[in-house]
Amino acid sequence: MKKINYINNQSKIFTKDLITIGVVLRAYGIFGWILIKLFLDDKNIFFYARKIWFFDPNSLKLFSIKILNKKNHGNYVLANLYGITDRNLATKLQGYYLKISINYFPKLLSSDTFYWFNLIDCIVENIHGKLLGTVTEIIQNKVHSILRIIQSSTEIICTKKYKKKYGILIPFIKIFIKNVDIIKKKIIVDWD
């Protein structure tokens, strides 16, 4: 890799503006292309982004590499990066997360439409004022999105093979979601 601009990941002033949009799955071909799984419903956000940041979850380093070419590949996308000229170099990026500035996301046209990153870390209360917890994850299924809400006191249930957090799962549909205030980071739900 010839030109890498490293950013201290602890610089919250800068990094809070970056949204994770995908992950590098593996190298693709012998000329240094990478196969990327996007976490976006609209791939055009990735294709229009002029600057992409790579985050190494092991070293916690954040850096940018100029993307020379991007193209669709079924449910995935392929990218060719400046300075990554062979499979061995591309393999080193496996598992890195891709981030872009929040400014590349189109403005939402409706007040009842949200990006998933707007909902993460929102406090959730029921209509009776009982605190249920904090949104930690948005689970996608074929019918609708589901909010995973975890209280700090929620137990972590362990088995021999894995550790999984269980919390409250609330479908993100109007019958249950009564109000979402992104500014106050608060969601009111009709849930016990």
Side-chain angles (χ1 to χ4, degrees):
M1 292 185 255
K2 295 180 182 176
K3 176 74 171 156
I4 297 178
N5 300 319
Y6 285 101
I7 299 292
N8 179 351
N9 193 39
Q10 303 307 313
S11 173
K12 292 193 176 198
I13 294 169
F14 177 74
T15 57
K16 72 177 184 178
D17 182 48
L18 296 178
I19 304 298
T20 302
I21 61 160
V23 64
V24 177
L25 295 178
R26 60 180 172 82
Y28 183 86
I30 61 171
F31 296 111
W33 286 71
I34 55 174
L35 182 69
I36 300 167
K37 177 183 180 182
L38 293 178
F39 305 144
L40 303 167
D41 291 332
D42 182 3
K43 287 184 185 179
N44 289 326
I45 295 170
F46 170 74
F47 285 102
Y48 292 136
R50 291 185 301 274
K51 190 157 197 166
I52 307 279
W53 295 89
F54 290 81
F55 175 70
D56 178 359
N58 297 317
S59 70
L60 303 181
K61 287 190 177 179
L62 184 68
F63 56 92
S64 66
I65 303 175
K66 183 178 179 183
I67 296 183
L68 302 174
N69 295 300
K70 307 173 194 173
K71 58 184 173 182
N72 278 310
H73 186 71
N75 293 329
Y76 306 100
V77 294
L78 296 172
N80 176 251
L81 310 174
Y82 176 78
I84 307 294
T85 55
D86 65 44
R87 184 175 187 83
N88 292 335
L89 291 173
T91 300
K92 292 179 182 180
L93 295 174
Q94 184 172 333
Y96 284 31
Y97 291 97
L98 280 70
K99 295 178 175 277
I100 63 170
S101 170
I102 196 170
N103 298 325
Y104 288 121
F105 286 82
K107 301 291 181 218
L108 297 173
L109 301 175
S110 171
S111 62
D112 64 347
T113 305
F114 308 97
Y115 286 116
W116 62 267
F117 54 81
N118 294 136
L119 303 174
I120 299 294
D121 295 330
C122 281
I123 293 171
V124 180
E125 289 182 2
N126 71 12
I127 56 176
H128 306 295
K130 179 182 175 188
L131 177 65
L132 299 178
T134 304
V135 177
T136 59
E137 180 183 5
I138 311 297
I139 302 167
Q140 299 294 331
N141 69 19
K142 292 181 181 179
V143 181
H144 49 69
S145 299
I146 299 170
L147 302 178
R148 181 185 298 275
I149 297 144
I150 302 289
Q151 284 185 324
S152 58
S153 63
T154 301
E155 287 185 16
I156 298 175
I157 298 172
C158 300
T159 67
K160 293 178 185 176
K161 293 185 179 179
Y162 66 94
K163 194 187 276 189
K164 185 172 183 175
K165 290 183 179 179
Y166 291 93
I168 301 168
L169 301 177
I170 301 177
F172 195 71
I173 54 178
K174 287 186 179 186
I175 193 169
F176 300 120
I177 308 298
K178 297 304 178 188
N179 186 39
V180 177
D181 188 335
I182 296 303
I183 306 298
K184 293 181 181 176
K185 298 293 281 179
K186 188 173 185 179
I187 300 172
I188 305 297
V189 297
D190 188 358
W191 199 267
D192 288 325

